């Protein structure tokens, strides 16, 4: 009797994977971050130096772990809620690196302001955990779980500077909008479950293979795409982007504009491509509208901005438009292009927002474009590096932004009947160029109000250096990054 | 052994590395060293381009001195270089002008001089890249990247309205070229190769050709510039520092012409022949109408800028008239005319902008009305400028004559009316050039400042005399230049034959 029970139990257990190796980075990140959280409470270190260093160390170890267990196949694990494939590992490595650089920018910023808390770093780590789960999610539930973990941490990060009115407003706005977006996605998910009775993306794909996409399912898809568009900040769901980017502490904006975008890309891939590949026609037409509107509205409104953070926010909206072009192509080449685009954009915008922290003097923030005046004169090196970033955003060679644009345009050109989309993208990038040039103009041509050299902390210089040098280095030798993106999609 | 030197790569990377070395090495603090490095690198570039001339055979008309290395294998984009008889003269011209600009900057640039040297050198490297690239995307990378140093050059060292001018310059050029990029990607992804030679051979339907041709025209017509899209040039020229104007006029404008020859004609011959009339019409408008516009200018630089547009009209006229010509000999003469006009205009307009720079450094005005009687205090300068102005007017014996003469002669074979309009340049060119000269140089000294001007110093002598010698040499003895490019132009003419595969028409007629 007893033996029988044991046999049954062990059989049941055997179905559950014992292998914790694939999820090790997440487990490590969770444990280590929790330990540091406790350590931080008892730490007497006023500078929170220990917390910062430990956080960076955790990121390093996590990154190394992901590299070491880089998968060579596509495995569905843990009751198929978790997917372990090159794509997830690729995205995870990128997000770890981006988070690390974002922390470099955050360190001196929060030191000088009254938001110096250990949690600030740890929230980054927990957000990263959410993102890592998100890009590995292979059922609608685990995807949603990851998304919510990430979003909650981001809400808190935006709200960190609660004494600041603008910041508080941004936090509320971000929270409400984010909650609505999550609601949309959840609503869509419930419909999907109702129609198909499945929760795993692979099952949904199989269902769509056998059946036509019914009207209800397409209805659900609209909700999911809308929710995704909210998260990406694509027009017409972009209203929160400028306010949040503007109001949040700059160091949070740096983070917001980088790693979460990559995670959102992972979410979109997992749902739309892994789950709804059968309904490609349906979501493709939705994305075309979003892409065109984002490119047009983002670029045109950015023209009128005088606040540099808002300018970068609208430029982010425009970039999402370009990024969606790869998705619209609906093939591996297109997804590769999109991944390349979002990765390079994340690096560039890290640097772009980071340079605002670099320029900030003590408590004073850089808010207007004119505050960058004469950077080229005061610090020729920094001026040059910052203009590299802006020229890369404009898509000029020999910077990496050029290859990103080339890739997405190539992807849509290969689809019949979408040449007009490539032309719209090309045309809007001319308008984009204008406001990026305006920033470069301010940096190089306008006279500085004071001639003092900017003295920035080492971690800031390092962060700015890494981002802008990688923008030019990847621009000259894009091949490796392209291959890196390409191998992520070998199982689609 | 000599053939193993990667001379084209050297011509591209040497100035680029030199430029960054100056910027991040001695910089403005150790100006003497920046100066020495820049001059050393520039002389080296000139010597290398001389070596290129020596190494280049040119008898076959095919690409020579090719270098190919994988760059982005997944997109099949290669780092592929090569030159033919069309590119070689332009690369040599670039090397030559670069040295003169560097020498000229020593006297006339007063602040951030090391950065100016660096911008010039970087620009030179990128321009050599444009002429040497044999991969369409590589070409585009150089083509766009080149805008950045020029943008900074006009914006930092330019005149009072420099910011408007430089942004306009950048946006206009970018506007044209982004659509070319779309066209290049379209072609590249449909044949799976971005090699320019492969694109020249690819079959395209008339509809495709038309759209691609429109994209090419958008890119190259802005650059050259042709009439409706020429307005950035006067602004950019007026605001740019002397060296910037010289590079713009002498080399950058030539890239438009080069692009037509390298891309538009061989890749889209049918569309080009279909719409040749339109481009010929715009060329004629440039020649005649812009000639009148030049006549009305009050600003010396603006006058030369408009005269540049008029002269570049001959390049486009010579390029597109070939579709109306039956005989290969005359077509090749028209193309020769266009090419010689490009080289010669590079020298003449460079010389004129340097001359204006000489005056500007002394009087700090570009207004014609602020001058008069300069000959009294600057006789040597007056004599040299006489030569440049006459060359600009197309005087036989100077290089300015040959190109225009060839093109007019070729256009006579199609329609005497085209030739008639084109020939108005002989009158208009003489009128605005000589009138400019008369107002600035002749007469009594206008005021004390003019009376006490110092004649050109040895640095300026080097610049102006070397240009004068070349203008005369090319004018009297153009044969070596023609020999270099003749075979390549013939190869090009073969490529302009119709690409559309004839579909056998069934049924009775």
């Amino acid at each position: 009797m007893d033996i029988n029970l044991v046999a049954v139990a062990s059989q049941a257990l055997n179905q559950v994977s014992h292998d914790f190796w694939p999820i090790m980075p997440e487990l490590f990140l969770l444990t280590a971050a929790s330990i540091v959280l406790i350590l931080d409470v008892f730490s007497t270190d006023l500078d929170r130096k220990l917390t910062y260093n430990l956080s960076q160390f955790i990121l390093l170890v996590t990154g190394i772990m992901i590299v070491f267990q880089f998968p060579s196949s596509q495995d569905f694990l843990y009751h198929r809620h978790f997917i372990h494939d090159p794509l997830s590992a690729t995205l995870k490595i990128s997000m770890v690196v981006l988070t690390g650089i974002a922390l470099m920018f955050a360190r001196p910023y929060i030191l000088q302001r009254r938001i110096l808390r250990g949690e600030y770093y740890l929230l980054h780590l927990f957000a990263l955990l959410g993102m890592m789960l998100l890009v590995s999610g292979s059922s609608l539930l685990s995807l949603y779980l990851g998304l919510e973990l990430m979003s909650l941490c981001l809400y808190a990060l935006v709200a960190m500077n609660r004494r600041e009115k603008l910041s508080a407003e941004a936090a509320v706005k971000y929270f409400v909008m984010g909650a609505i977006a999550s609601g949309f996605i959840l609503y869509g998910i419930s419909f999907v479950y109702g129609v198909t009775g499945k929760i795993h993306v692979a099952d949904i794909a199989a269902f769509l293979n056998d059946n036509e996409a019914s009207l209800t399912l397409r209805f659900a898809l609209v909700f999911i795409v809308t929710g995704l568009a909210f998260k990406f900040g694509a027009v017409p769901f972009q209203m929160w982007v400028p306010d949040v980017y503007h109001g949040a502490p700059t160091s949070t904006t740096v983070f917001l504009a980088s790693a979460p975008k990559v995670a959102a890309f992972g979410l979109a891939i997992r749902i739309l491509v892994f789950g709804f590949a059968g309904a490609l026609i349906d979501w493709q037409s939705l994305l075309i509208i979003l892409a065109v509107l984002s490119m047009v509205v983002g670029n045109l409104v950015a023209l009128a901005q005088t606040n540099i953070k808002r300018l970068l926010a609208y430029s982010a909206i425009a970039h999402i438009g370009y990024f969606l072009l790869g998705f619209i192509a609906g093939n591996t080449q297109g997804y590769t292009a999109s991944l390349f685009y979002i990765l390079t954009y994340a690096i560039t915008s890290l640097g772009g927002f980071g340079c605002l922290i670099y320029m900030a003097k003590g408590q004073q923030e850089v808010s207007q474009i004119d505050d960058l005046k004469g950077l080229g004169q005061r610090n020729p090196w920094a001026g040059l590096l910052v203009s590299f970033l802006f020229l890369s955003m404009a898509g000029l060679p020999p910077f990496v932004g050029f290859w990103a644009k080339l890739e997405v345009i190539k992807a849509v050109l290969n689809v019949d009947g979408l040449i007009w989309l490539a032309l719209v993208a090309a045309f809007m990038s001319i308008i984009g160029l204008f406001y990026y040039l305006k920033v470069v103009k301010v940096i190089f041509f306008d006279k500085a109000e004071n001639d003092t050299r900017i003295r920035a902390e080492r971690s800031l210089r390092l962060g700015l250096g890494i981002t802008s040098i990688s923008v030019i280095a990847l621009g000259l030798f894009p091949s490796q990054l392209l291959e890196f993106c390409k191998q992520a999609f070998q199982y689609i | 052994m000599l053939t193993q030197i990667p001379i084209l790569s050297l011509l591209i990377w040497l100035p680029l590395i030199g430029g960054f070395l100056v910027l991040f090495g001695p910089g403005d603090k150790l100006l003497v060293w920046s100066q020495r490095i820049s001059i050393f690198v520039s002389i080296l570039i000139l010597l290398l381009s001389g070596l290129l001339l020596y190494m280049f055979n040119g008898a076959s008309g095919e690409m020579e001195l090719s270098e190919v290395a994988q760059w982005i294998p997944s997109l099949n984009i290669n780092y592929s270089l090569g030159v033919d008889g069309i590119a070689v003269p332009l690369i040599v011209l670039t090397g030559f002008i670069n040295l003169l600009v560097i020498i000229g900057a020593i006297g006339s640039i007063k602040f951030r001089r090391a950065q100016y040297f660096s911008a010039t050198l970087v620009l030179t490297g990128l321009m050599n890249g444009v002429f040497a690239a044999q991969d369409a995307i590589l070409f585009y990378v150089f083509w766009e990247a080149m805008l950045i140093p020029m943008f900074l050059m006009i914006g930092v060292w330019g005149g009072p309205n420099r910011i408007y001018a430089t942004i306009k310059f950048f946006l206009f050029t970018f506007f044209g070229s982004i659509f070319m990029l779309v066209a290049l990607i379209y072609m590249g992804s449909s044949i799976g190769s971005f090699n320019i030679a492969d694109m020249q051979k690819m079959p395209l339907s008339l509809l495709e050709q038309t759209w691609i041709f429109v994209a090419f025209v958008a890119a190259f017509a802005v650059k050259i510039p042709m009439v409706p899209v020429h307005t950035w040039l006067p602004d950019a020229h007026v605001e740019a520092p002397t060296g910037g104007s010289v590079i713009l006029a002498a080399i950058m404008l030539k890239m438009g012409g080069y692009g037509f020859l390298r891309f538009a004609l061989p890749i889209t011959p049918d569309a080009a022949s279909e719409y040749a009339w339109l481009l010929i019409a715009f060329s004629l408008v440039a020649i005649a109408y812009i000639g009148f516009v030049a006549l009305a200018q009050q600003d010396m630089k603006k006058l030369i800028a408009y005269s540049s547009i008029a002269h570049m009209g001959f390049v486009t006229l010579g390029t597109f008239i070939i579709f109306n010509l039956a005989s290969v000999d005359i077509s090749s003469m028209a193309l020769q005319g266009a090419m010689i006009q490009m080289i010669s205009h590079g020298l003449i307009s460079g010389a004129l902008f340097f001359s204006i720079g000489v005056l500007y450094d002394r009087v700090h005005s570009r207004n014609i009305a602020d001058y008069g009687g300069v000959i009294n205090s600057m006789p040597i300068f007056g004599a040299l400028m006489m030569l440049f102005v006459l060359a600009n007017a197309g005087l036989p014996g100077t290089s300015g004559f040959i190109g225009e003469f060839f093109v007019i002669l070729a256009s006579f074979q199609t329609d005497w009316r085209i030739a008639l309009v084109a020939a108005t340049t002989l009158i208009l060119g003489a009128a605005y050039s000589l009138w400019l000269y008369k107002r600035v140089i002749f007469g009594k000294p206008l005021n004390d400042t003019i009376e006490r001007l110092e004649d050109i110093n040895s640095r300026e002598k080097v610049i102006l005399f070397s240009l004068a010698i070349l203008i005369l040499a090319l004018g009297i003895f153009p044969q070596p230049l023609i020999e270099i490019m003749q075979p390549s132009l013939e190869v090009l003419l073969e490529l302009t034959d119709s690409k559309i595969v004839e579909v056998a028409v069934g049924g009775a007629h």
Side-chain angles (χ1 to χ4, degrees), chain A residues 391-414:
Chain A
L391 292 174
S392 173
M393 285 190 205
L396 282 179
F399 306 107
V400 70
F402 167 70
W403 299 106
K405 213 150 269 179
L406 182 138
E407 278 277 297
V408 290
I409 288 180
K410 185 165 181 275
V412 277
L413 276 181
N414 282 345

Side-chain angles (χ1 to χ4, degrees), chain A residues 78-251:
Chain A
Y78 316 125
H79 288 287
R80 302 197 293 130
H81 284 293
F82 188 88
I83 186 167
H84 187 57
D85 65 353
L87 175 63
S88 65
T90 307
L91 293 177
K92 281 176 197 170
I93 292 173
S94 328
M95 291 183 310
V96 169
V97 172
L98 292 169
T99 311
I101 301 173
L103 282 185
M104 284 182 199
F105 285 118
R107 166 87 186 140
Y109 184 85
I110 63 169
L111 257 181
Q112 284 164 2
R113 280 160 191 78
R114 292 160 70 191
I115 43 177
L116 176 64
R117 289 195 207 96
E119 301 96 278
Y120 194 84
Y121 304 119
L122 291 161
L123 279 170
H124 280 81
L125 296 189
F126 284 112
L128 178 65
L129 178 65
M131 294 185 237
M132 286 169 64
L133 287 175
L134 172 62
V135 298
S136 267
S138 76
S139 77
L140 295 176
L141 274 184
S142 52
L143 283 169
Y144 187 75
L145 212 64
L147 178 69
E148 280 308 279
L149 180 54
M150 170 187 94
S151 305
L152 276 175
C153 298
L154 294 181
Y155 302 147
L157 279 172
V158 173
M160 229 15 158
N161 200 0
R162 62 172 191 280
R163 290 181 197 85
E164 191 81 41
K165 234 176 168 177
L166 215 54
S167 232
E169 183 198 323
V172 172
K173 214 169 235 172
Y174 189 42
F175 178 68
V176 171
M177 286 299 180
I180 293 176
S182 298
F184 269 76
I185 294 181
L186 205 56
Y187 192 60
I189 288 177
S190 68
F191 268 82
V192 173
Y193 184 67
V195 175
T196 62
K198 314 282 184 204
I199 206 73
H200 293 96
V201 283
D203 296 343
I204 297 167
F207 179 88
L208 275 171
N209 232 355
D210 303 332
N211 307 290
E212 265 305 280
S214 64
L215 188 62
T216 331
L217 206 55
R218 274 186 260 163
F219 183 71
L221 195 58
V222 172
F223 274 94
I224 292 177
V225 170
T226 308
L228 285 173
F230 259 116
K231 293 281 171 200
F232 276 123
V235 181
F237 308 107
Q238 88 294 9
M239 301 76 76
W240 60 273
V241 179
D243 291 338
V244 172
Y245 279 28
H246 181 199
T250 313
S251 58

